[in-house]
Amino acid sequence: VCIHRVRSCSSIRFIKSKYVCVFDKSALKFSHQQRLFRTSAVSCGQIVQFKLSDIGEGITEVTVKEWYIKEGDSVSQFDSICEVQSDKASVTITSRYDGIIRKLHYSLDEIAYVGKPLVDIEIDTSKGVAPEEDVVETPPMSHEEHTHQEIKGHKTLATPAVRRLAMENNIKLSEIVGTGKDNRILKEDILNYLAKQTGAILPPSPKAEIIPPLPKSETVPAAPKDKARKIPVPVSRPIVFSGKDKTEPVTGFHKAMVKTMSAALKIPHFGYCDEIDLTQLVQLREELKPVAQLRGVKLSFMPFFIKAASLGLLQYPILNASLDESCQNVTYKASHNIGVAMDTEQGLIVPNVKNVQVCSIFEIASELNRLQSLGSAGQLGTNDLTGGTFTLSNIGTIGGTYTKPVILPPEVAIGALGKIQVLPRFNEKGEVFKAQIMNVSWSADHRIVDGATMARFSNLWKSYLENPASMLLDLK
C-alpha cells in the first residue's frame, strides 16, 4: 500500500517523502526515521528537541559549563536547564516547556552549537500544548525562542550557590521573585520563601551577621598580606611531565582575546605615563571603609579612580568616543561605561560599570562588588561585558609599576594602574616625607587623540585623586 505521507498518531515529525512502502523496512531508512519512532513510542506525551537559540553578538558555539538538571527530572517553563559560556559571556539557558527531561545532548565542557538540540523534553499534550505549532522543529534563529530565552534569563538570575540551595529544598526558581539587581534571586529570597512555606522566623537583618567578622578579617591578616606581596606564592597545581606536546583549541574568553587584540594592534598607539601621590586618598579611604562596610559594601580605591576618570571625560569627551572602521566618523558616547580589567580563571575579562557619570562613589563600589563576585564565579552576562566606552586596568593588584596597555576597540583610550608604594618625596618646604605613590600608564588612539589632550586629561584625573575633596565641586 503506497501513501503520500505517513504520520503516527502521536508523532511530531512529518516523513518528507513522496511515496513510501509501509511494508518495506529499507524504505524507512532515512534521516527522519529515528525521530518518528522515538516520538511515536511515547504514549503519554511527545518528545520536543529544545534547541540552543541565537544568544546574540554573532555567537555560533558555546561551551556547556554546568547542568542544573539530569535525565528524568521534571522542569517547568523558565526553570534553569544549564549554563553555557561563549567567548563573550556566560548565559543561563532555561526551559520553554513543562515536561520531563529525556536526554542531554552534551556533556560538561563539550561544545554546543546554535540551532542544534540541547535537550529532549517529553511534554504532556493533554495540557493544551499544540503539537503542530510548539512541537514542530523551529528555525535555529527563532525570534520567539530568542525572546523567550532573554525573558527567562532576567527571571532566573541567580548564582550557582543560590541555585543549589533551591534544588536542595525542591524550590523552583520560577516561583520566587528576586530582590537583587535586575531581579536577581538572592539567598535571602530563598530563605524568605522557605519561611513562608514552613512558618519559620528568620533574623530581621541578615547583614547583621556578616558585619562583625569584617573588621577582624581586615586587621588580623594585615601583616601577612604585606609579606605576601613581597614573596610571590606559586600556584598550587599538580605538575605532570608527560614528555609529549599537547594541543588544545582556543576557546571561551581566550578566543575573544585573540580577536580583540588582533584588531587592537591595527590601532596606532601612543603612551603617556605619570605618578600620582595618593597620600590624602589613602587617608580618606581608611575613614570611609567602616561606613561602607556597615552598608554591606567593600570599598577599594577603584571606585575613586573610576569616578575621577568620569569627571575627566566630561571635560575631554574625545577620550570617550569611538572611530568607525573607515575612519570617517567619530561618535561621542553619552554614557561613561568604564570597563575594569579582571584576571579570572577563565582568562582576561573586562566588565564595565554603566553610566558612571550619574553614579556616586558608593554606587560604583557596590556595582564593582557585584561584577567581581560574578567574575570570579564565571557568571558575568553579556550586558556586563559589552558596551564599554573607556577602560582602566589595575595591574598593581598583582605587581609592577609601568606597563603598556592595549586599547580595546572600538574604544580610543585605556589606563593601567601600578601598585601603590610608600616612597620618599619632598614637600614645598623641601622636607622629606612618606608618600603613597602610584604610577599610571595611558594608551590612546593617535588617529584622533593627540598627546596634549591625553596629558591634560591625566593631569585633571591626577588632581582629583591627589586632592579628593576637590571632586566634591564637580560631583553630580
Side-chain angles (χ1 to χ4, degrees), residues 62-68 82-86 90 107-110 346 378-379:
V62 295
T63 303
V64 179
K65 302 304 293 183
E66 186 175 358
W67 285 106
Y68 300 123
C82 66
E83 178 188 339
V84 298
Q85 185 181 80
S86 68
S90 294
S107 301
L108 291 180
D109 295 325
E110 281 191 346
Q346 293 81 24
Q379 295 290 318

Side-chain angles (χ1 to χ4, degrees), residues 232-281:
V233 179
V235 179
S236 57
R237 293 179 182 173
I239 301 176
V240 179
F241 294 97
S242 61
K244 297 181 180 179
D245 296 340
K246 183 173 68 173
T247 302
E248 293 181 349
V250 179
T251 59
F253 293 128
H254 294 285
K255 190 172 184 178
M257 188 163 61
V258 169
K259 296 178 182 178
T260 304
M261 293 300 100
S262 297
L265 292 181
K266 298 178 182 179
I267 299 173
H269 286 56
F270 82 89
Y272 178 83
C273 302
D274 201 356
E275 73 170 33
I276 319 294
D277 184 356
L278 299 180
T279 304
Q280 293 186 36
L281 182 60

Side-chain angles (χ1 to χ4, degrees), residues 156-430:
T156 57
L157 284 176
T159 62
V162 172
R163 291 195 184 96
R164 191 172 296 108
L165 179 63
M167 292 178 64
E168 290 173 354
N169 292 277
N170 296 322
I171 299 175
K172 295 181 180 180
L173 293 178
S174 57
E175 299 176 354
I176 299 177
V177 178
T179 59
K181 184 178 178 62
D182 297 328
N183 297 325
R184 179 176 298 277
I185 298 176
L186 307 177
K187 180 181 178 182
E188 291 77 11
D189 300 328
I190 302 289
L191 297 177
N192 290 331
Y193 181 84
L194 284 173
K196 292 179 181 178
Q197 298 297 319
T198 61
I201 300 176
L202 298 179
S205 177
K207 294 181 180 179
E209 299 177 0
I210 304 174
I211 293 171
L214 289 177
K216 296 180 181 178
S217 62
E218 292 292 333
T219 55
V220 176
K225 282 185 178 179
D226 295 337
K227 294 180 181 178
R229 287 190 175 184
K230 298 177 182 178
I231 304 175
V233 179
V235 179
S236 57
R237 293 179 182 173
I239 301 176
V240 179
F241 294 97
S242 61
K244 297 181 180 179
D245 296 340
K246 183 173 68 173
T247 302
E248 293 181 349
V250 179
T251 59
F253 293 128
H254 294 285
K255 190 172 184 178
M257 188 163 61
V258 169
K259 296 178 182 178
T260 304
M261 293 300 100
S262 297
L265 292 181
K266 298 178 182 179
I267 299 173
H269 286 56
F270 82 89
Y272 178 83
C273 302
D274 201 356
E275 73 170 33
I276 319 294
D277 184 356
L278 299 180
T279 304
Q280 293 186 36
L281 182 60
V282 170
Q283 295 174 354
L284 177 63
R285 173 176 171 265
E286 288 300 319
E287 295 175 2
L288 296 179
K289 275 174 59 178
V291 179
Q293 287 177 354
L294 290 175
R295 299 168 70 175
V297 173
K298 181 180 179 182
L299 182 63
S300 65
F301 289 103
M302 205 63 189
F304 297 95
F305 299 153
I306 292 175
K307 188 60 182 180
S310 177
L311 294 175
L313 292 176
L314 292 174
Q315 302 296 324
Y316 300 96
I318 188 63
L319 298 176
N320 196 59
S322 64
L323 186 65
D324 64 2
E325 294 183 0
S326 60
C327 300
Q328 299 297 318
N329 299 290
V330 178
T331 301
Y332 293 86
K333 303 293 184 178
S335 299
H336 296 173
N337 300 337
I338 299 184
V340 181
M342 293 183 181
D343 178 35
T344 68
E345 294 182 357
Q346 293 81 24
L348 176 66
I349 56 176
V350 189
N352 57 82
V353 181
K354 299 288 193 297
N355 297 310
V356 176
Q357 77 279 3
V358 294
C359 292
S360 67
I361 291 177
F362 176 79
E363 290 171 336
I364 297 171
S366 178
E367 178 67 1
L368 276 179
N369 286 182
R370 185 186 72 86
L371 294 175
Q372 288 166 350
S373 62
L374 291 179
S376 60
Q379 295 290 318
L380 286 168
T382 305
N383 184 58
D384 296 323
L385 294 168
T386 56
T389 60
F390 187 86
T391 299
L392 291 176
S393 175
N394 190 8
I395 194 66
T397 56
I398 301 175
T401 51
Y402 292 104
T403 183
K404 184 181 178 182
V406 179
I407 300 169
L408 300 176
E411 299 173 18
V412 297
I414 183 174
L417 314 174
K419 63 182 180 181
I420 300 175
Q421 307 175 83
V422 179
L423 298 174
R425 290 294 183 268
F426 292 96
N427 59 19
E428 296 177 354
K429 299 179 180 180

Side-chain angles (χ1 to χ4, degrees), residues 38 67 71-72 100-105 118-121:
R38 181 196 307 164
W67 285 106
E71 293 182 2
I100 301 174
I101 301 297
R102 290 305 181 194
K103 181 180 179 180
L104 307 181
H105 285 268
L118 193 63
V119 296
D120 288 354
I121 304 177

